[in-house]
Every structure is written in structure tokens, then in C-alpha cells.
Amino acid sequence: MDVFMGKAQGFHGPITAKLTLENDKILKAESEHTKSAYIGDLGIQRLLKRIESEQSLDVDVISGATYSTNAYLTAAKKAVSVAKGKLSQEDALNLNISLENSKDNQVDTVSSASITSHDEVNTSVAREAVYMSNNPDLFDELFDVVIAGSGGAGLSAAVESARGGLKTIIFEKAGIPGGTTNASGGVIQAAGTKYQKEFTDFKDDTPKKHAQLWVKAGEGRVDESLVWDLALGAPDNIEWLVELGLEFDTVYGHAKIPYITDDLHADRIHQYKNGGQGGEGTLLTQTLLTDFIKHEGQIEYDSPVVALILDKDTSSVIGAVIEKNGKEVKVKADRGVVLATASIDHNPALAKELNDQQYYDISNSTLLSTPYDTGDGIIMGMGIGAAVSGLGGCIDFCSRTGNATNNQIPTIPMVLINGIGKRFVREDSTYAYHYRAIFQETKKHDAPTYMVFGKSSISEPGSAWTSESLKADVESGLVIKAETLEELAEKIAVPTTNLKETIEKWNSFAANKEDAEFGRLEGLKEISGPYYAMLNKASNLGSLGGLRINTDSQVINSFGQPIKGLYAAGLNAGGWVTGYYPGSGTAIAGIIHQGRKAGKHLAANN
Ligand SMILES: Cc1cc2nc3c(=O)[nH]c(=O)nc-3n(C[C@H](O)[C@H](O)[C@H](O)COP(=O)(O)OP(=O)(O)OC[C@H]3O[C@@H](n4cnc5c(N)ncnc54)[C@H](O)[C@@H]3O)c2cc1C
């Protein structure tokens, strides 16, 4: 038994493969890589198991983490070359010496733009429902509950279902668990918790105020019963996550929604230990998955749910068709099926029909959600008469505007201007609110919008730039620099008079310490030359809206009745958040809540 090593470049840094070999057989496969490669790490862990069970490197890469698992295989092949005497150990650990097997232009889900189709094609794998007799002998596999998707919503449903004693299986389309929830920071909103009291000045906040804010943010398009249920249930969801092993050690807020009164805003964003940054949502998904497995839950990867199965006599949902290794497998779900496949994020054809902002974003923004979210659950539901709700709006943001996700980061002195050089929104509002305005202005004038600021702006609190990084951004063309407003207006193709008027007006507001136009409070300081402009381009974290549900997460049909045996949770469900995303932690709050509700309803004798 000997140990050999090889090294290759991964997406987040070098990956070292350490193989224990005996007569060409791999007895043990280990990896050294940066732990901040959260999603890649999930893939590599699965790959190591695959290699050890096959005792060979002749295995497929893990979908959803193809870049990292390809890099590991490259490193491992270098290690095998050392064993065969074809490469020295020193060369195998040299990143500049490569084997010709690392070609793959796909990337991990966290930066998946290169595998996202931008054509107007329906990227969904969903097919028409199958109607059949409810006879167990006609099915390939028998379960109480089938869950489509292993993001936070699917996993929460799974935990409650398995804890409720139901034989539960998750079918996951990707090769790793977690979906977009992995990519998240895992922060979650709730009001009135002991953590909020401990870590913020909001000692008397209540779920009622939380519900009132969310209802107002829904602008008349949310189902108020869902919103109230979510706000009232949020504190218990936090305690549930604590019981599962997460430890909350920080609570903060999001920037204001301009038309909502101050008394309804509060610091409600709960962050668990080692959470808060993109990718640290894996801690949440792994915590849920561990508990699910502990309660004898099962999960299968690379196994998309492609169709619902309905009882031919009653039209209740009694199972699902899964595609496994190119074959269709009929799985019976005695209690029901939970659709937790998120929204239409990467489906241009559906987005065109259902969500114009998402449709715009697919071609013009950076999509950060998992490319496997192609609206499958929404199509499967609609295919059997489910109603849809709350479609429209996105979780759009840009970290450079300052007020990214956290109200402790102020907005720098800058203005957002439209194609005719005028301001159009309160810039220090919560990110998706001003991003909706950016989208609307872009459409209205058929011209891009810009963030305009001055040299001194970048030394203000909350600035995303240092003078060096600004210089680099100017050189790369990301930021446009001009000595005068006339020059800037010409470079960004807006009317000079309007741009000059806008900046003059802004500077007079700054001098008077009052934004008489939009009521902005933060970064109210003069903007002076040299001037800078950055084209507003969103990072899109997901699309809003999905299947209509009730407070038990049962899917509702177009006539207002629950469809027996069918549930939806998280971003696959709609009506609880829409139009624009009110602030960080709303999505995770929703997915945990509705997932749990579905699992609990299934476990109760429904
Ligand atoms: C970078 C980033 C940071 C974010 N940070 C936060 C945050 O800190 N707090 C917050 O509240 N929100 C955050 N969000 C938003 C939030 O993460 C998502 O809205 C939420 O996690 C979606 O959860 P979900 O369970 O509904 O869907 P997902 O987590 O996307 O899970 C859906 C799963 O379904 C699978 N699937 C799709 N189709 C099928 C099929 N046919 N069969 C089987 N499986 C299928 C997918 O592969 C995926 O695993 C962030 C988003 C991003 C991109």
C-alpha cells in the first residue's frame, strides 16, 4: 500500500489529491482544498466516495460541481502517473505541469453562467402528467413521500416528513444537494426572537409588525394569509434550526423600503455562526440533510422528477416519474409529492411568459442561482391545473451600490440616473426595490441606467472601492471616468443639460441636508469631479413567484381547491413575496417555513 499525490487548479484554488493504492486499485481517496470552496467541497466529498467504491478513477464528475470534481480527477490522475513511474512526485505537485484530461468548460453552480442557455428555449425537463391506477404493483418504488429538489425548502419538508415517521425520499436533479440555498449566506428573517433582543436595539419588535411590513412590500399582490403565517411562524423556525444544531450569533437589518414607515422596519436578519457569506448556506443545507438521513430519509442525485403521477379515477397526485440514468422510474408517494424545485430562474421561455424582469435578467444580468432551477415544478403543477401566484420581480442586487444586504453598510454619495440623465429612485432603499426601478427605467427609456459618483465618494463609509480598485475598474472599462459632467454625459450618452441639472440639484440637497426629491437619508454629500459612472448590472439571485399554495403548503388549483397529494414550498411556491424582494433573509425564512409546513401536514394524517 502506497500513497501518491497530485495537484491541479480548482475554481477557488489548488486541489491536492492523495490516493492510497494497492496493485492499481484505489483503497482510499482524500483531498486537500480550500474549505471556502463550499459547493465544490460537496462535490468532491461525493466524488471521493464514488472513487473508493469503484476503486478506480473511471467515474463520472459530479454535476453541480463539475469544475471542482474535474480538477480533483486531474490531480488524482497525476497521482496515478506517479504510481506508474510516469511522473515524479515533485512534478505531480507542480500546478504548471498538467495532464491532458482537464478539459471542461462548465463551472460550479455558484458561477454557472457558462452553462446557462440564453436562448428562448424551454429548458425545463418537465413532461405531461401520467394517469394510472393506484395499484402498488404498477410502480417501481414505493414511498410515503416524494420530494423534488434538495434546496432548503425540499430539505425542510424532508426533515419534518421523516421525523413524522414517513418513508421519505428526495430526488435531486443535480449531483449534489442544496440548490441555490448552498450559494446563499443562509441569513434568515424573524421578529421577536431572543436573538433579536440580545443582538439588536429592537427589544419590542413583533411578528405582527414583520407581517405588516411584508404585506405592504407585497403591494397588494401577496396572499396575506401566507405572509402572516410566515411572519408568525418565523421565530419558531429559528428555534427549530437551533435544535438542529445552528447557532445564531448576529442579527442586523436591511436598508429601508421608502414608502414603509420606520416603525415597521427593524433588524430581523438572523445570521448563524460561520454563515452570512455566499456559499455558507451549505452549512444550513448540510445541517438539514444530516438530520434527514439520521431519520432514515433517502436522497438520490442526478435524478430529476420529470412528471407527476395522478390516480386515473380521483385525479389525486399519487407519485412521480423520475429520470434515472436515462430511464423513467415510477415512484409511488402514498401521502404526497412536494415540489421544491424553485422558480423559473434559468428558463428563458417561461420567464418571457411569466416574469419580464427575470426574462430581462437572463440576458443582461449575472445569474447566481443554480442552473438546475428551470421551473420544472411550476410546469408540472400548471400541467395539472394548479394556479400560479406572485409571478414577477426578482432578487436583484449589486454589491457596489453600497446598500447591498446589510443596513450597517451605508450608501455612498452617488445618484442613479436613467437614460435621460435624471434620478428616479431613492438610492439608499433596499437593493431589490431600487433594482426593480432600474429595470423599469431601462425599459421605459430603452437605455441603460448608471450609478454616478465623484472622486470623494469612494472614501465615504460603505464604499466598495479604494483608489487602486477604482483605477483598475476604469482601466478595465467597468467604470467610466470623466473630468467634467459634459464629458461624462457624452460618454454615457445622456443629455448634458439634464445630467448637469441632476448633479446640481443633488449637490444643493447635500448642502441643505435634505433630499427634497426622493427623501434619501444616507450619503447625502456633494458629488464633485472627476466624475465616474458605472452601468447598473444586476446580480440576480432568483426569480419570484410560483404555484399558489395555502398555509399548509398544499398546491391550490385554479378553482381555489387544494390538489390532493400535491405540495409546493420555497421559490417553487408563489404569493408570499412578489414584485421586488423586500430584503435579505426573506427567502430563507420562506423556504424553511413552507418546507416545514408541507412536511408536517404530510406527517399529520391528511
Ligand atoms: C448568492 C446568493 C446568496 C443568497 N443569500 C441569501 C440569504 O443569505 N438569505 C436569503 O434569505 N436568501 C438568499 N438568497 C436567496 C435564496 O438562497 C434562495 O431564494 C433559496 O435558497 C431558494 O431555495 P429553494 O429551496 O426554494 O430552491 P433551491 O435551493 O434552488 O433548491 C431547488 C432544488 O431543486 C432542484 N431541482 C430543480 N429541478 C428539479 C427536478 N425536476 N427534480 C428534482 N430536483 C430539481 C435543484 O437542483 C435544486 O437543488 C441567496 C441567493 C443567492 C444566489
Side-chain angles (χ1 to χ4, degrees):
M1 247 181 4
D2 290 301
V3 176
F4 302 94
M5 291 194 291
K7 196 181 265 191
Q9 187 60 40
F11 191 71
H12 298 275
I15 295 177
T16 305
K18 194 169 153 194
L19 300 182
T20 307
L21 300 176
E22 192 174 66
N23 303 330
D24 281 355
K25 288 219 159 103
I26 299 173
L27 299 186
K28 195 166 185 193
E30 295 163 279
S31 172
E32 276 170 25
H33 53 269
T34 167
K35 289 298 165 202
S36 61
Y38 302 99
I39 296 173
D41 182 54
L42 290 179
I44 290 173
Q45 297 313 327
R46 286 207 58 224
L47 184 73
L48 297 181
K49 286 197 186 126
R50 219 174 247 188
I51 292 170
E52 286 180 355
S53 91
E54 297 294 321
Q55 297 197 314
S56 133
L57 295 182
D58 195 13
V59 293
D60 289 337
V61 292
I62 306 292
S63 61
T66 47
Y67 196 97
S68 300
T69 49
N70 252 317
Y72 182 86
L73 281 178
T74 302
K77 283 173 186 169
K78 284 172 87 176
V80 169
S81 295
V82 178
K84 290 185 173 162
K86 292 183 180 164
L87 201 63
S88 73
Q89 183 58 85
E90 194 184 339
D91 283 355
L93 289 172
N94 184 337
L95 283 175
N96 297 322
I97 296 179
S98 62
L99 296 177
E100 279 182 11
N101 52 17
S102 60
K103 285 278 165 283
D104 194 306
N105 63 3
Q106 294 189 334
V107 295
D108 290 354
T109 48
V110 76
S111 52
S112 56
S114 69
I115 57 169
T116 304
S117 163
H118 286 186
D119 298 333
E120 282 174 29
V121 288
N122 183 349
T123 48
S124 172
V125 297
R127 297 172 203 158
E128 269 187 57
V130 174
Y131 287 79
M132 59 187 273
S133 158
N134 194 359
N135 174 353
D137 296 342
L138 301 175
F139 288 82
D140 303 301
E141 296 175 19
L142 306 178
F143 285 88
D144 294 324
V145 173
V146 164
I147 295 172
S150 68
L155 285 166
S156 299
V159 168
E160 290 290 13
S161 171
R163 283 182 168 202
L166 301 183
K167 192 178 171 207
T168 307
I169 186 159
I170 302 177
F171 289 107
E172 168 55 53
K173 192 181 189 182
I176 53 170
T180 300
T181 313
N182 280 338
S184 80
V187 300
I188 171 170
Q189 284 197 30
T193 66
K194 63 179 184 204
Y195 310 98
Q196 189 190 32
K197 291 189 199 336
E198 186 178 345
F199 300 121
T200 77
D201 294 334
F202 296 86
K203 313 289 179 200
D204 303 317
D205 190 26
T206 60
K208 184 178 169 192
K209 284 188 185 174
H210 200 185
Q212 286 171 328
L213 179 135
W214 271 338
V215 166
K216 278 194 178 294
E219 299 178 339
R221 289 193 60 230
V222 283
D223 175 339
E224 293 193 19
S225 67
L226 291 179
V227 174
W228 276 88
D229 192 61
L230 173 57
L232 295 175
D236 182 63
N237 294 331
I238 296 280
E239 285 310 325
W240 185 69
L241 292 173
V242 170
E243 185 245 311
L244 285 168
L246 294 177
E247 198 182 318
F248 289 93
D249 59 3
T250 308
V251 180
Y252 56 91
H254 57 75
K256 297 268 164 66
I257 298 166
Y259 58 83
I260 298 185
T261 50
D262 277 0
D263 62 312
L264 295 185
H265 285 90
D267 290 357
R268 302 180 174 122
I269 302 173
H270 290 57
Q271 180 181 309
Y272 50 74
K273 206 169 158 185
N274 301 319
Q277 297 301 314
E280 292 172 353
T282 44
L283 189 56
L284 170 65
T285 56
Q286 287 298 299
T287 300
L288 294 166
L289 184 59
T290 305
D291 194 81
F292 176 55
I293 303 291
K294 197 167 93 191
H295 289 88
E296 283 159 29
Q298 294 179 46
I299 181 161
E300 288 187 18
Y301 301 103
D302 298 309
S303 307
V305 173
V306 294
L308 294 169
I309 301 177
L310 273 65
D311 184 319
K312 69 178 175 46
D313 300 318
T314 65
S315 292
S316 302
V317 174
I318 54 168
V321 179
I322 319 300
E323 195 175 277
K324 289 193 212 177
N325 302 320
K327 289 201 184 104
E328 286 195 351
V329 177
K330 291 194 179 71
V331 182
K332 191 162 185 329
D334 269 338
R335 292 285 177 100
V337 172
V338 182
L339 298 172
T341 66
S343 196
I344 56 174
D345 302 9
H346 294 263
N347 192 322
L350 269 192
K352 189 172 183 182
E353 295 300 324
L354 302 173
N355 185 339
D356 50 357
Q357 192 174 344
Q358 185 66 24
Y359 180 58
Y360 176 84
D361 276 0
I362 287 175
S363 313
N364 297 289
S365 306
T366 307
L367 305 185
L368 294 182
S369 58
T370 171
Y372 297 91
D373 290 348
T374 53
D376 301 348
I378 292 175
I379 299 190
M380 284 187 267
M382 285 168 71
I384 62 163
V388 288
S389 181
L391 284 152
C394 306
I395 317 178
D396 273 358
F397 92 112
C398 166
S399 56
R400 284 196 168 83
T401 56
N403 46 348
T405 54
N406 185 331
N407 62 359
Q408 289 153 2
I409 305 169
T411 306
I412 60 167
M414 59 86 166
V415 287
L416 296 174
I417 58 146
N418 60 18
I420 55 166
K422 296 197 171 179
R423 283 177 76 205
F424 52 89
V425 71
R426 191 177 141 179
E427 294 88 350
D428 63 350
S429 58
T430 187
Y431 50 96
Y433 177 85
H434 68 242
Y435 247 100
R436 177 180 64 171
I438 286 171
F439 164 68
Q440 288 170 339
E441 291 295 311
T442 306
K443 290 289 231 187
K444 196 153 83 186
H445 298 286
D446 190 20
T449 70
Y450 287 89
M451 165 178 168
V452 173
F453 54 101
K455 190 177 177 215
S456 59
S457 308
I458 66 151
S459 43
E460 291 294 324
S463 168
W465 284 281
T466 59
S467 43
E468 289 75 35
S469 68
L470 183 62
K471 192 164 169 258
D473 282 351
V474 170
E475 274 162 19
S476 75
L478 182 74
V479 172
I480 295 157
K481 182 180 177 187
E483 293 304 322
T484 63
L485 287 173
E486 287 81 358
E487 186 192 343
L488 189 70
E490 197 184 323
K491 283 184 169 170
I492 62 176
V494 298
T496 309
T497 339
N498 287 356
L499 181 63
K500 283 178 79 176
E501 207 178 275
T502 297
I503 299 300
E504 273 163 24
K505 214 194 254 181
W506 168 262
N507 286 343
S508 74
F509 294 159
N512 295 331
K513 298 266 170 283
E514 190 186 353
D515 173 7
E517 219 170 2
F518 292 98
R520 174 168 158 183
L521 298 171
E522 285 177 4
L524 213 51
K525 286 198 176 165
E526 197 177 305
I527 294 173
S528 55
Y531 300 96
Y532 297 89
M534 189 185 76
L535 182 92
N536 292 312
K537 182 178 173 186
S539 288
N540 172 301
L541 310 187
S543 159
L544 303 178
L547 300 179
R548 183 182 292 278
I549 54 167
N550 62 17
T551 54
D552 285 319
S553 297
Q554 289 177 292
V555 174
I556 303 300
N557 70 18
S558 305
F559 303 103
Q561 300 303 316
I563 298 175
K564 195 159 174 3
L566 189 63
Y567 296 75
L571 275 294
N572 198 145
W576 55 280
V577 53
T578 189
Y580 66 92
Y581 186 70
S584 294
T586 306
I588 302 288
I591 67 177
I592 301 292
H593 186 70
Q594 292 142 16
R596 289 190 71 196
K597 278 302 202 62
K600 284 207 253 189
H601 194 259
L602 282 157
N605 213 354
N606 62 51

